Amino acid sequence: MKTASDIASLWARTTRVEITGTTGGPDVRHDVRDPDELRELAALLAVDLTADAFCCMCWGDLRFLLSDAGGRHVERLTLHLGPASSDVEYGDDGQFPLVRSGDLRNWLAVRGLCQPV
């Protein structure tokens, strides 16, 4: 299971995030490379690791493909947007509730990736 330190290390290595849909081809809907925007996105994707991890059977709503400076895949995150709260699946470690789900949804809405809250 991932720790806060593991997640911080993951984001420290990340230099690109491709945001795509979860089904079909790898259509890139938004490409994040700017260091400031990457830091902002990392903060918005913070999860509550004290919650019990779970795994639903749906595909999720958006996928975040994290890569390092060499273009190597670092991690795949899957966002599940719910009406009251949202969660993120960190690879095979299960889904955890987002700490700032409303802020993330607004960030995504500004970029045309989901409806605002």
Side-chain angles (χ1 to χ4, degrees), residues 70-100:
R72 291 176 296 271
H73 171 77
V74 174
E75 184 67 84
R76 180 196 77 238
L77 310 179
T78 303
L79 176 64
H80 298 259
L81 293 170
S85 65
S86 301
D87 54 79
V88 171
E89 180 181 343
Y90 265 86
D92 297 326
D93 289 317
Q95 294 170 225
F96 296 92
L98 283 164
V99 175
R100 299 172 56 193

Side-chain angles (χ1 to χ4, degrees), residues 1-2 47-53 96-97 99:
M1 180 151 143
K2 289 216 179 1
V47 294
D48 179 1
L49 292 173
T50 64
D52 290 331
F96 296 92
V99 175

